[in-house]
Amino acid sequence: AQTVTQSQPEMSVQEAETVTLSCTYDTSENNYYLFWYKQPPSRQMILVIRQEAYKQQNATENRFSVNFQKAAKSFSLKISDSQLGDTAMYFCAFMNFNKFYFGSGTKLNVKP
Amino acid sequence: GAVVSQHPSRVICKSGTSVKIECRSLDFQATTMFWYRQFPKKSLMLMATSNEGSKATYEQGVEKDKFLINHASLTLSTLTVTSAHPEDSSFYICSARPRDRGPYEQYFGPGTRLTVT
């Protein structure tokens, strides 16, 4: 069974600083996808970044980047130059065989 | 592009009644739609996967007779909560996978908050 663990229920960061959210997962599969989703107070899920497991290069999307360590089954999200609009719940997700599994989420507060 | 809507956004119903939630892909065709349930301050739990024109596949522990899913067209899936009880109160989210995209593509609806009194 696939499991996704986010060990940080809540984090805070000052505006313009950098923060890293942790995620680990457990799977016996070799091919899969990993995601970070953002859920702001509106509850709309928004894709932040995606990583294919077969790619060694870490994915980057503007201020968002990941540190993908396949052997360690770790997939952390780094947010640079944090903005007030980044305040939200962040969910790490694993996808394989047509199914998505989500972690329990990390609530990120960006302080002015 | 890739907009998914849900209707209603909020619904209150009395215990014992049934309520239907619609999920529509507005600007693309979705061969697969997913239904999730999210408890307060909790993660999303996959309830079922529906493919257009076929029966939904339910996750273990989800009562298929209670949560009826119909995927009648490439743009519409419905979730009907039958004989609702207060413990069914939750936030229900659908997502849709575009027809001609990779298996990792899914777009989420804005969710429906169900309150059963």
Side-chain angles (χ1 to χ4, degrees):
Chain A
Q2 276 65 233
T3 59
V4 180
T5 302
Q6 293 179 248
S7 58
Q8 305 151 314
E10 189 164 355
M11 296 187 71
S12 294
V13 64
Q14 290 295 134
E15 194 176 8
E17 292 188 346
T18 296
V19 63
T20 298
L21 280 57
S22 300
C23 173
T24 58
Y25 58 95
D26 188 26
T27 183
S28 58
E29 302 297 331
N30 193 47
N31 296 317
Y32 49 86
Y33 296 89
L34 295 163
F35 309 80
W36 279 97
Y37 281 92
K38 169 184 178 180
Q39 188 181 44
S42 67
R43 306 295 292 271
Q44 174 71 57
M45 296 287 284
I46 301 166
L47 176 65
V48 175
I49 201 164
R50 180 184 72 236
Q51 175 80 42
E52 290 91 336
Y54 62 87
K55 289 187 177 179
Q56 293 186 340
Q57 186 173 4
N58 290 323
T60 299
E61 287 288 342
N62 301 314
R63 298 184 295 108
F64 300 89
S65 61
V66 297
N67 183 2
F68 173 47
Q69 302 289 327
K70 190 172 183 179
K73 296 179 183 176
S74 171
F75 183 62
S76 61
L77 174 70
K78 185 172 82 171
I79 306 175
S80 304
D81 187 24
S82 296
Q83 301 176 358
L84 296 178
D86 295 335
T87 292
M89 282 289 290
Y90 286 81
F91 291 98
C92 178
F94 170 100
M95 181 260 166
N96 182 248
F97 295 123
N98 206 38
K99 289 185 180 181
F100 285 79
Y101 302 87
F102 287 84
S104 55
T106 296
K107 184 177 181 182
L108 177 66
N109 296 303
V110 180
K111 299 180 177 181
Chain B
V3 178
V4 177
S5 70
Q6 279 185 243
H7 178 79
S9 58
R10 292 174 178 264
V11 58
I12 301 173
C13 69
K14 292 188 176 181
S15 186
T17 62
S18 296
V19 61
K20 180 185 287 187
I21 302 170
E22 292 186 348
C23 176
R24 291 182 185 272
S25 55
L26 298 184
D27 50 2
F28 65 94
Q29 292 183 326
T31 49
T32 304
M33 288 186 172
F34 304 89
W35 286 95
Y36 297 86
R37 182 172 179 174
Q38 185 177 29
F39 293 96
K41 298 183 180 180
K42 296 289 185 182
S43 181
L44 279 71
M45 180 192 77
L46 179 64
M47 298 175 65
T49 302
S50 73
N51 292 296
E52 186 264 339
S54 62
K55 291 184 177 180
T57 302
Y58 290 81
E59 294 301 300
Q60 191 173 8
V62 178
E63 299 176 61
K64 59 182 178 181
D65 293 331
K66 180 168 189 60
F67 298 99
L68 300 178
I69 292 172
N70 183 276
H71 193 159
S73 76
L74 286 172
T75 60
L76 173 65
S77 177
T78 60
L79 167 67
T80 301
V81 183
T82 62
S83 186
H85 290 285
E87 56 264 32
D88 298 326
S89 298
S90 193
F91 194 69
Y92 292 88
I93 303 175
C94 74
S95 70
R97 173 177 295 157
R99 186 177 193 175
D100 300 320
R101 300 283 184 86
Y104 46 78
E105 297 265 359
Q106 68 167 347
Y107 298 95
F108 286 88
T112 295
R113 178 167 299 286
L114 170 63
T115 303
V116 184
T117 60

